[in-house]
Amino acid sequence: MSRECHFMNCFCCGLFPTRFCFFSPQLEKWISISTLKFYFAVDTKYVARKLLVLFLPFVIRDWSIKFPPSQCVAPREEPNAPDLYVPAMAFVTYILTTGVLLGTQNR
């Protein structure tokens, strides 16, 4: 299977998990998909707050997590909980910006 088909299959796994997903059992051996979904459980308010923290960190006074460490809380419910959405979007933005800059320079 080509690389493009593999990426399309991974995209389809999220949309149509029972019909099109060929790699899910092999992927579940190394990475739990439900754990990854947990770290991407964010909403617009959470992303806006994280961007505020990134650009103006001195505005935030309380950096503590309000839930006990033994209790797993989705990032959208706790602003200081770890997430993977913001780093993933930063990486995608970097790739797209690099592509545009190299494309405008004819490289």
Side-chain angles (χ1 to χ4, degrees):
M1 186 177 281
S2 69
R3 251 178 54 181
E4 292 81 13
C5 290
H6 173 69
F7 289 128
M8 190 61 182
N9 181 44
C10 291
F11 175 73
C12 289
C13 285
L15 296 178
F16 313 105
T18 58
R19 186 170 178 194
F20 292 105
C21 194
F22 300 110
F23 293 101
S24 182
Q26 289 82 10
L27 188 62
E28 282 285 333
K29 283 192 250 180
W30 294 293
I31 299 171
S32 172
I33 301 299
S34 61
T35 303
L36 279 178
K37 285 182 181 180
F38 175 78
Y39 285 110
F40 282 93
V42 298
D43 58 359
T44 308
K45 182 180 172 186
Y46 177 82
V47 173
R49 179 165 167 80
K50 277 295 190 175
L51 290 175
L52 176 72
V53 168
L54 285 173
F55 291 119
L56 303 169
F58 51 86
V59 173
I60 307 301
R61 300 282 181 219
D62 185 21
W63 290 90
S64 63
I65 296 177
K66 300 186 181 29
F67 292 93
S70 61
Q71 181 182 3
C72 292
V73 180
R76 69 175 160 259
E77 297 169 8
E78 172 60 50
N80 294 326
D83 69 289
L84 290 176
Y85 180 80
V86 175
M89 289 301 108
F91 181 69
V92 168
T93 303
Y94 171 75
I95 295 297
L96 293 175
T97 305
T98 304
V100 167
L101 290 175
L102 290 175
T104 57
Q105 297 173 357
N106 293 328
R107 286 196 212 174

